[in-house]
Amino acid sequence: GESVGLHLPTLSVQEGDNSIINCAYSNSASDYFIWYKQESGKGPQFIIDIRSNMDKRQGQRVTVLLNKTVKHLSLQIAATQPGDSAVYFCVLASGGSYIPTFGRGTSLIVHP
Amino acid sequence: NAGVTQTPKFQVLKTGQSMTLQCAQDMNHNSMYWYRQDPGMGLRLIYYSASEGTTDKGEVPNGYNVSRLNKREFSLRLESAAPSQTSVYFCASSEGTPQLHFGNGTRLTVT
């Protein structure tokens, strides 16, 4: 089955710095990779996704990189702001039913 | 612009009591999901419904039942609550992709 792991459970950064959150996965069959953000007391919120036929995708202040060779996914947040403080989940899904599998999450703490 | 609405927001039960968690979405999505989230862990799938009239087990279905009442509503029932079911429960919906829209959760404590 799928397993999703994160390299660091907590990441602390200074406001204005760039943040990089990493995720390792084991299931080569995954073809859909998604990052969710969960703020305290709320449900997860979709940030950005990338399909397996891509290696990079950019959004507003966020970039997702996919390295299928080493089964590694990362989320880069530019100019990190206090409002970015949250838990970030790396989520995988496979074709067909696309049932998402969540990892444990990385807590991002932004210091003003 | 409600999205996914879960009720109640908080609930305390005694061991052995039963209750139903309600979830409704107004985005006309076909797929709906129930997850639980425990401290230090990610979300684990309990049950999902790919479309109205169908339900399937997820990773941790034991102790739960679900009903897809119509396209909008997907309820989760605990027939005999146990302390191990103390958790935060999230309902979500989607339309054909893993981009899920989540409610804000029900915080359940079983004593």
Side-chain angles (χ1 to χ4, degrees):
Chain A
E2 289 178 320
S3 67
V4 182
L6 294 171
H7 292 300
L8 291 173
T10 301
L11 177 65
S12 293
V13 300
Q14 291 295 129
E15 182 179 358
D17 287 352
N18 295 333
S19 304
I20 300 176
I21 302 172
N22 295 303
C23 176
Y25 65 94
S26 61
N27 188 347
S28 301
S30 299
D31 59 2
Y32 215 130
F33 304 85
I34 313 103
W35 284 98
Y36 283 87
K37 171 186 180 183
Q38 186 178 26
E39 297 176 76
S40 180
K42 295 185 178 181
Q45 180 181 16
F46 170 88
I47 303 173
I48 191 168
D49 61 7
I50 188 168
R51 300 298 296 265
S52 58
N53 60 353
M54 303 169 67
D55 54 22
K56 181 178 180 179
R57 191 171 186 204
Q58 289 184 289
Q60 187 176 14
R61 284 201 305 118
V62 295
T63 300
V64 57
L65 299 177
L66 174 63
N67 186 330
K68 294 182 288 294
T69 302
V70 296
K71 297 179 187 174
H72 185 268
L73 185 71
S74 68
L75 177 70
Q76 301 178 1
I77 304 174
T80 313
Q81 303 168 359
D84 294 326
S85 292
V87 175
Y88 290 81
F89 290 100
C90 161
V91 177
L92 279 61
S94 300
S97 62
Y98 283 133
I99 304 300
T101 299
F102 280 74
R104 281 192 302 130
T106 292
S107 177
L108 176 65
I109 300 171
V110 182
H111 301 282
Chain B
N1 197 22
V4 178
T5 303
Q6 292 184 239
T7 56
K9 289 183 170 52
F10 301 93
Q11 183 70 48
V12 179
L13 293 177
K14 295 187 188 303
T15 297
Q17 287 185 317
S18 62
M19 80 159 295
T20 299
L21 281 64
Q22 307 286 353
C23 174
Q25 51 95 6
D26 62 3
M27 294 170 283
N28 203 37
H29 287 163
N30 278 308
S31 300
M32 297 187 74
Y33 311 79
W34 276 105
Y35 285 88
R36 61 176 287 173
Q37 184 174 32
D38 300 303
M41 299 183 71
L43 280 71
R44 292 183 292 169
L45 183 65
I46 305 172
Y47 271 94
Y48 67 99
S49 170
S51 61
E52 185 179 355
T54 68
T55 61
D56 287 285
K57 295 179 180 179
E59 181 186 355
V60 289
N62 291 345
Y64 306 95
N65 285 301
V66 290
S67 295
R68 184 71 183 269
L69 304 170
N70 47 56
K71 192 171 186 179
R72 287 187 67 249
E73 299 172 288
F74 189 37
S75 63
L76 178 71
R77 183 160 177 84
L78 286 70
E79 290 291 352
S80 179
S84 62
Q85 294 178 305
T86 294
S87 190
V88 182
Y89 291 86
F90 288 100
C91 177
S93 69
S94 72
E95 188 55 46
T97 75
Q99 182 178 337
L100 272 58
H101 298 258
F102 283 87
N104 282 328
T106 293
R107 284 144 187 83
L108 176 66
T109 301
V110 183
T111 62

